[in-house]
């Protein structure tokens, strides 16, 4: 148990960091108080389903405008994780081999497994449409108006329950002005990217369209030494069409269609090993291979396969990550007088195939390939209105979600051993899911006085899940392992209450209490016979939060902060059981922490931002046995997955004129830091990413009429070599593999607007 002195030390560190932030703020803005010709842009958000200023919203939010995203050089949604306190967003899930598989964590809550039988812990929404699956969830930042990151449970406002938080992406709507932009970027690793967006008024004041497209291409930075094959590349094309119809003064219809196609190699994964070399490959299956097969093939599995060069591997097995994603949505807004009605109807489909060779050698110890095909349909209704002389604002909603899908997996485990023993070679078979979700939610905001507001909401959720786990030995062509069908219903009622008080026009405080719920599911991988898929229970979360939002010094400084305490039950963790990863419930944990975010204008043309995130997460109780009596390899002292104690970021941009008709130049630097991170639940030492900093820099020229922009940039300026995920299976195979982030890269871009 942590000592009182240690707890005091951590509290002191947090207070000192906040104090430094405040001190820098006051120092930087002493000049700004005398300036009145410029100020911070007001940021509007829709976190509570109606448009309001960020500073009026009693929720912990990090918001990015389209301009913010562009200045930071972000091109896909995963990159916002570097600029958001207490958030980690990886573009590839471990175990998958997929280059587009979102693994999102907010305040220590998320999910690393991409499998169809496990739900994500953070909700991802595109124009109000829930994105249900990890694969295909790393969305292109194509023609977006705004990105909002909401921390904590958000079930009383969003269609699908979101236990850890929500990422809300809002696209630009077509309007009545003909306009557009085109951009080309070139850089290292033969990078060639292109973007195009055109807004077209079709019928004046009635019908508008917006067409956007992007293409991203660059070579891989990893290499397979035996085949000289590059991997970790990018080859993705996206297109989106948005159509806006105004048939009458009180009806607005928005239609959208999007399509993404990727034909890439797998992410860069390599073996890592920090123990005595004699222990490498010391697992049970490895031992059998070395005993029965290696004497015949002359290829033992030992430390010779550990790479001696960065970003290299001796693997020769499956690689590749292909993806096709398309979606359709229709949103109808009808202002029916005292009640406004919104309908969101959406369909999305994902087809993907990807593979991996985690043993990192020409020896066929373990290889996996997946062919995934999923589709989802959702329908949401929202009813909003005001009452009691407009002091009460209310929202009631109903939500339906249907998902079907299959993940056809082929796993070659110990190939050669089983052949020598006369046993079939591969395990194969699709996991099939058929899920339904129903929900009703209500949220009320009541102005007790002109300064004091009370908000309360409640949600009922019911999930009906069915999973069929087909697994065969392919050479026999008959059911040899399992063909179980599991059906289970999960439901819960989750409330939320908050109170906010506006002390002045520029300072507001709030306190909230909320409960969150994430559905249970089934284990979707087996290597032993079973009568039914092993279920796991839902997660439940209770969060207490306090915070303030402030804007001062003549609108030159914005400083927001929040502190939270979360009681986390039945935590779903992914661990290896034998040779297969599966999800089980750890017992209980608690997470406490804080976020501080700053934006300041010290002088005209100079913008400074900064943020501090702090988390203290630990297991408070642990279930030593699972449902079949196997010991879970976790301990009370284990760190939560993807939960750094500290996450910090800062940026500075100075834009200065070259002359009245010469345009201007902007100089920008972005820095982010996180303390050490555990990449797996059992805290494998080789998968503890040490604390580290990243720096990006950018210089850009803007023409006088803002019609042209030229930019030069560098990402990962100090060329940090770090990993973003990993898998350890020491008992069975005696190996640890890590997935690596991209090294230092440079580029140049030119953008034209019309």
């Amino acid at each position: 148990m942590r000592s009182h002195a240690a707890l005091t030390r951590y509290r002191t560190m947090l207070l000192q960091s906040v104090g430094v932030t405040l001190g820098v703020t006051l120092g930087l803005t002493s000049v700004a108080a005398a300036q009145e010709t410029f100020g911070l842009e007001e940021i509007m958000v829709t976190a509570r389903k109606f448009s309001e200023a960020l500073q009026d919203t009693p929720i912990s939010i990090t918001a990015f405008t389209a301009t913010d995203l562009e200045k930071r050089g972000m091109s896909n949604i995963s990159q916002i994780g570097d600029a958001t306190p207490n958030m980690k967003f990886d573009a590839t899930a471990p175990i998958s081999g997929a280059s587009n598989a979102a693994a999102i964590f907010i305040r220590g809550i998320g999910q690393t497994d991409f499998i169809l039988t496990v739900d994500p812990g953070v909700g991802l929404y595109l124009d109000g449409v829930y994105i249900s699956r990890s694969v295909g969830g790393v969305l292109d930042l194509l023609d977006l108006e705004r990105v909002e990151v909401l921390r904590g449970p958000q079930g009383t406002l969003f269609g699908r329950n979101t236990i850890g938080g929500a990422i809300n992406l809002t696209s630009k709507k077509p309007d009545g002005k003909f306009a557009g932009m085109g951009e080309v970027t070139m850089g290292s690793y033969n990078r060639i990217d292109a973007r195009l967006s055109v807004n077209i008024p079709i019928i004046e004041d009635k019908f508008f369209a917006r067409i956007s497209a992007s293409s991203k291409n660059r070579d891989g930075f990893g290499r397979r030494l035996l085949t000289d094959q590059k991997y970790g590349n990018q080859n993705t094309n996206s297109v989106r069409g948005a159509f806006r119809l105004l048939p009458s003064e009180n009806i607005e219809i928005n239609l959208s269609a999007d399509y993404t196609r990727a034909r890439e190699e797998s992410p860069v994964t390599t073996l890592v090993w920090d123990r005595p070399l004699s222990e490498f490959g010391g697992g049970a299956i490895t031992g059998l291979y070395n005993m029965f097969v290696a004497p015949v093939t002359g290829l033992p599995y030992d430390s010779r396969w550990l790479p001696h060069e960065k970003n290299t591997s001796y693997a020769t097995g499956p690689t590749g990550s292909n993806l096709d994603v398309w979606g359709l949505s229709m949103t109808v807004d009808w202002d029916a007088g005292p009640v406004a009605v919104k309908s969101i109807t959406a369909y999305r489909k994902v087809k993907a195939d990807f593979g991996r060779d985690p043993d990192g050698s020409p020896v066929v110890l373990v290889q996996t390939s997946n062919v995934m095909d999923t589709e989802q349909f959702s329908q949401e209704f929202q009813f909003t209105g005001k009452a009691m002389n407009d002091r009460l604002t209310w929202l009631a909603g109903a939500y339906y979600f249907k998902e079907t899908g299959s993940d056809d997996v082929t796993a070659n485990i110990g190939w050669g051993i089983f052949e020598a023993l006369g046993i079939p070679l591969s395990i194969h078979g699709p996991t099939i899911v058929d899920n339904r979700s129903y929900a009703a939610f209500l949220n009320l905001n009541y102005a007790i006085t002109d300064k004091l507001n009370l908000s309360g909401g409640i949600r009922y959720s019911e999930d009906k899940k069915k999973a069929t786990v087909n697994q065969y030995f392919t050479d026999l062509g008959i059911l040899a392992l399992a063909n179980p069908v599991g059906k289970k219903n999960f439901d819960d009622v989750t409330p939320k209450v908050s109170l906010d008080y506006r002390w002045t026009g520029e300072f507001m405080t709030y306190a909230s209490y909320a409960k969150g719920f994430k559905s249970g599911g089934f284990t979707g991988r087996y290597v032993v016979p079973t009568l039914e898929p092993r279920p796991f229970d839902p997660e439940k979360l209770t969060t207490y939060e306090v915070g303030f939002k402030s804007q001062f010094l003549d609108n030159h400084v914005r400083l927001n902060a929040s502190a939270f305490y979360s009681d986390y039950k039945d935590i779903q963790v992914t661990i290896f059981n034998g040779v297969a990863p599966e999800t089980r419930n750890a017992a209980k944990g608690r997470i406490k922490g804080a976020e501080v975010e700053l934006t300041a204008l010290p002088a005209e043309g100079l913008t400074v931002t900064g943020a501090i995130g702090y988390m203290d997460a630990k297991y408070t109780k642990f279930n030593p046995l699972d449902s079949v009596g196997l010991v879970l390899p976790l301990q009370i002292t284990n760190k939560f997955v993807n939960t750094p104690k500290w996450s910090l970021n800062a940026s500075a941009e100075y834009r200065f004129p070259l002359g009245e008709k010469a345009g201007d130049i902007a100089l920008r630097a972005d820095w982010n830091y996180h303390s050490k991170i555990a990449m797996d639940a059992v805290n494998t030492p080789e998968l503890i990413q040490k604390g580290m900093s990243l720096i990006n820099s950018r210089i850009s020229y803007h023409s006088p009429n803002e019609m042209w922009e030229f930019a030069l940039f560098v990402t990962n300026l100090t060329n940090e070599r770090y990993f973003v995920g990993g898998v350890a299976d020491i008992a069975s195979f005696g190996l640890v593999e890590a997935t690596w982030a991209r090294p230092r890269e440079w580029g140049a871009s030119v953008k034209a607007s019309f």
Side-chain angles (χ1 to χ4, degrees), residues 709-730:
E709 178 185 336
F710 302 92
L712 300 172
F713 59 88
V714 179
T715 58
N716 190 2
L717 182 65
T718 56
N719 200 30
E720 294 289 335
R721 306 306 301 124
Y722 65 101
F723 49 85
V724 294
V727 178
D729 189 356
I730 296 173

Side-chain angles (χ1 to χ4, degrees), residues 195-243:
R195 290 194 304 152
L196 176 67
S197 178
V198 182
N199 188 90
I200 307 169
I202 299 175
I203 301 176
E204 186 177 3
D205 298 330
K206 292 292 184 182
F207 188 34
F208 323 105
R210 193 174 186 95
I211 308 299
S212 308
S214 75
S215 177
K216 300 177 182 177
N217 305 271
R218 73 179 98 175
D219 292 344
F221 63 95
R223 184 167 65 93
R224 288 189 165 187
L225 295 171
L226 298 180
T227 62
D228 201 33
Q229 181 182 18
K230 294 287 185 68
Y231 63 127
N233 68 321
Q234 189 172 35
N235 180 12
T236 302
N237 300 309
S238 301
V239 62
R240 183 177 188 273
F243 306 90

Side-chain angles (χ1 to χ4, degrees), residues 25 134 273 317 327 429:
T25 301
S134 167
W273 193 260

Side-chain angles (χ1 to χ4, degrees), residues 79 109 115 133 174 205 239 244 288 307 362 385 402 429 529 748:
Q79 293 167 312
I109 299 169
I115 195 168
R133 286 298 132 205
D205 298 330
V239 62
R244 185 180 177 202
L288 289 173
K402 175 184 178 181

